[in-house]
């Protein structure tokens, strides 16, 4: 049965289709005969207990610079949709959190993927701390003395915004770097929230692996290798993607976190692993689906819609 699907995303005109997971999901949904509708978070509204958005019928094509057609926007009660994909990118700020409160009003009558309440309650760099024994040494704080003591204990560290994404604002501070105080001053001016400080893992030079899980089960992985001049492996800041199989340690990590993902109703999740250590659990808009398929791995978009269709039929 054809589903009515609304996709909450950054505007479709802004995406780079070659590596965009949301676009891959839309292509697969369209191929299955589902009806796609596009909207951006700023078109959401709540009137009494009804949640509306200005939906535009969406057609997608895997053609660079000609990848979409949008119809005329129509103000639509989202409870009339079968599925809403929550796919806009962070930052995970109060605007993002507000959209989860709105979407929670229609879920699960309208299936929202991923579950908006659990997305709100599972920030990617905090949720992962539930598995502290799988992580490198980690500190979450705004306190300068605590950061200094942590670096003195662990040597080289990574400092990054707690609610950032895509590699933005990530700094590698060496044990003897004299810029720590200046960096913390800058962070204090920019961010109201605590920041995250982690022990630097030299294994990142060999890659930061993205593993995709569907319903808590690993279905594919890519390795993201940082450029020579950068400590970040994110692909849109110069990281290089390459094929990767799962190691026994990575399967162990997936087996440990899988029950928690299923308990929270997370259908699509991406985790990041450096060496033997889990660093993030991405539940907002995880990427990597197109790259896995490009390197001969699973068609994760198809596995995703298989899972969504089972939920929608149930």
């Amino acid at each position: 049965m054809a589903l009515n699907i609304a996709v909450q995303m950054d505007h479709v005109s802004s995406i780079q289709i070659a590596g965009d997971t949301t676009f891959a999901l839309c292509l697969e949904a369209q191929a299955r005969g589902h009806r796609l509708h596009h909207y951006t978070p700023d078109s959401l509204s709540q009137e009494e207990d009804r949640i509306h958005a200005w939906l535009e019928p969406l057609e997608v094509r895997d053609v660079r610079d000609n990848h979409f057609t949008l119809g005329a926007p129509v103000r639509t009660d989202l409870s009339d949709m079968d599925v809403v994909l929550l796919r806009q990118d962070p930052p995970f700020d109060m605007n993002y959190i507000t959209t989860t409160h709105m979407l929670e009003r229609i879920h699960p009558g309208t299936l929202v993927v991923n579950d908006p309440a659990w997305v709100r309650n599972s920030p990617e760099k905090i949720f992962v701390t539930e598995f502290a024994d799988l992580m490198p040494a980690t500190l979450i704080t705004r306190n300068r003395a605590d950061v200094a003591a942590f670096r003195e204990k662990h040597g080289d560290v990574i400092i990054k915004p707690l609610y950032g994404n895509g590699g933005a604002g990530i700094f590698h501070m060496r044990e003897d770097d004299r810029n720590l105080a200046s960096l913390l001053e800058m962070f204090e001016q920019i961010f109201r929230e605590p920041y995250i400080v982690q022990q630097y893992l030299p294994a990142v030079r060999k890659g930061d692996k993205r593993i995709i899980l569907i319903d808590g089960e690993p279905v594919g992985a890519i390795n993201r290798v940082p450029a020579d001049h950068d400590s970040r492996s994110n692909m849109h800041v110069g990281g290089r993607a390459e094929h990767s199989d799962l190691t026994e340690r990575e399967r162990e990590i997936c087996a440990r976190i899988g029950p928690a993902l299923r308990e929270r109703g997370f259908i699509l999740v991406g985790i990041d692993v450096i060496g033997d250590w889990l660093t993030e659990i991405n539940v907002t808009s995880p990427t990597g689906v197109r790259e896995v398929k490009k390197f001969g791995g699973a068609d994760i978009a198809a596995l995703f819609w298989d899972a969504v269709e089972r939920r929608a039929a149930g």
Side-chain angles (χ1 to χ4, degrees):
M1 182 177 68
L3 299 173
N4 278 306
I5 300 165
V7 187
Q8 179 173 307
M9 61 184 296
D10 301 317
H11 199 277
V12 65
S13 64
S14 69
I15 64 175
Q16 301 297 316
I17 66 172
D20 192 90
T21 289
T22 305
F23 186 73
L25 300 181
C26 288
L27 281 173
E28 177 64 21
Q30 180 175 274
R32 294 180 177 221
H34 300 318
R35 293 178 288 270
L36 291 171
H37 308 269
H38 167 278
Y39 74 97
T40 55
D42 58 2
S43 82
L44 274 174
S45 61
Q46 179 174 344
E47 187 172 353
E48 298 174 349
D49 63 343
R50 313 301 292 181
I51 308 300
H52 295 87
W54 287 87
L55 301 188
E56 301 164 292
L58 171 64
E59 177 187 337
V60 289
R61 299 174 291 278
D62 201 1
V63 179
R64 183 177 176 181
D65 298 326
N66 183 27
H67 61 276
F68 72 96
T69 300
L70 291 175
V74 176
R75 188 171 186 264
T76 305
D77 187 331
L78 285 182
S79 64
D80 292 337
M81 293 289 106
D82 299 303
V83 177
V84 170
L85 297 188
L86 175 54
R87 286 292 307 177
Q88 88 263 22
D89 287 337
F92 194 79
D93 54 14
M94 287 308 300
N95 181 56
Y96 202 114
I97 289 171
T98 300
T99 68
T100 67
H101 283 291
M102 290 184 174
L103 294 178
E104 189 179 2
R105 295 295 185 101
I106 63 170
H107 180 79
T110 293
L111 177 64
V112 182
V113 182
N114 283 321
D115 183 316
W118 277 116
V119 166
R120 181 177 67 247
N121 292 334
S122 308
E124 301 171 344
K125 296 177 182 66
I126 295 179
F127 177 25
V128 66
T129 62
E130 295 187 19
F131 307 95
D133 61 310
L134 301 179
M135 298 179 64
T138 298
L139 172 71
I140 299 174
T141 190
R142 284 180 63 89
N143 186 279
R144 292 192 195 185
D146 286 345
V147 176
F150 185 87
R151 185 174 68 156
E152 184 175 350
K153 179 179 180 180
H154 295 288
D156 288 14
V157 296
I158 293 292
I159 303 178
K160 53 189 174 181
L162 188 57
Y163 297 112
N165 74 301
I170 294 179
F171 291 84
H172 174 197
M173 301 297 291
R174 298 186 184 278
E175 185 175 8
D176 59 352
D177 196 314
R178 298 177 180 176
N179 294 300
L180 179 61
S182 295
L183 176 64
L184 294 179
E185 288 173 5
M186 183 180 70
F187 268 42
E188 288 167 0
Q189 293 173 14
I190 297 173
F191 305 111
R192 297 182 60 189
E193 304 85 12
Y195 355 105
I196 187 165
V197 189
Q198 285 185 322
Q199 181 180 18
Y200 176 71
L201 299 174
V204 73
R205 301 311 309 170
K206 297 181 180 179
D208 178 351
K209 189 172 290 189
R210 163 57 54 87
I211 303 171
I212 307 294
L213 299 96
I214 299 289
D215 275 340
E217 297 291 336
V219 293
I222 54 168
N223 196 36
R224 302 169 298 177
V225 181
D228 292 339
H229 61 277
D230 207 325
S231 60
R232 301 169 298 174
S233 58
N234 307 76
M235 287 177 285
H236 69 272
V237 295
R240 182 185 79 252
E242 60 183 24
H243 169 77
S244 184
D245 296 317
L246 294 182
T247 67
E248 286 303 312
R249 169 62 170 174
E250 289 158 356
R251 293 188 182 279
E252 175 190 333
I253 289 171
C254 291
R256 280 281 308 282
I257 69 173
L261 302 183
R262 289 187 288 273
E263 176 185 306
R264 290 161 169 80
F266 289 142
I267 295 179
L268 178 61
V269 169
I271 66 171
D272 297 336
V273 177
I274 299 175
D276 289 334
W277 302 103
L278 175 66
T279 59
E280 291 190 19
I281 301 176
N282 298 278
V283 303
T284 51
S285 56
T287 61
V289 164
R290 300 209 87 180
E291 289 80 6
V292 169
K293 187 176 180 181
K294 173 185 174 182
F295 289 112
D299 186 346
I300 298 175
L303 297 175
F304 171 81
W305 284 111
D306 288 345
V308 170
E309 288 168 358
R310 285 194 298 269
R311 300 277 182 93

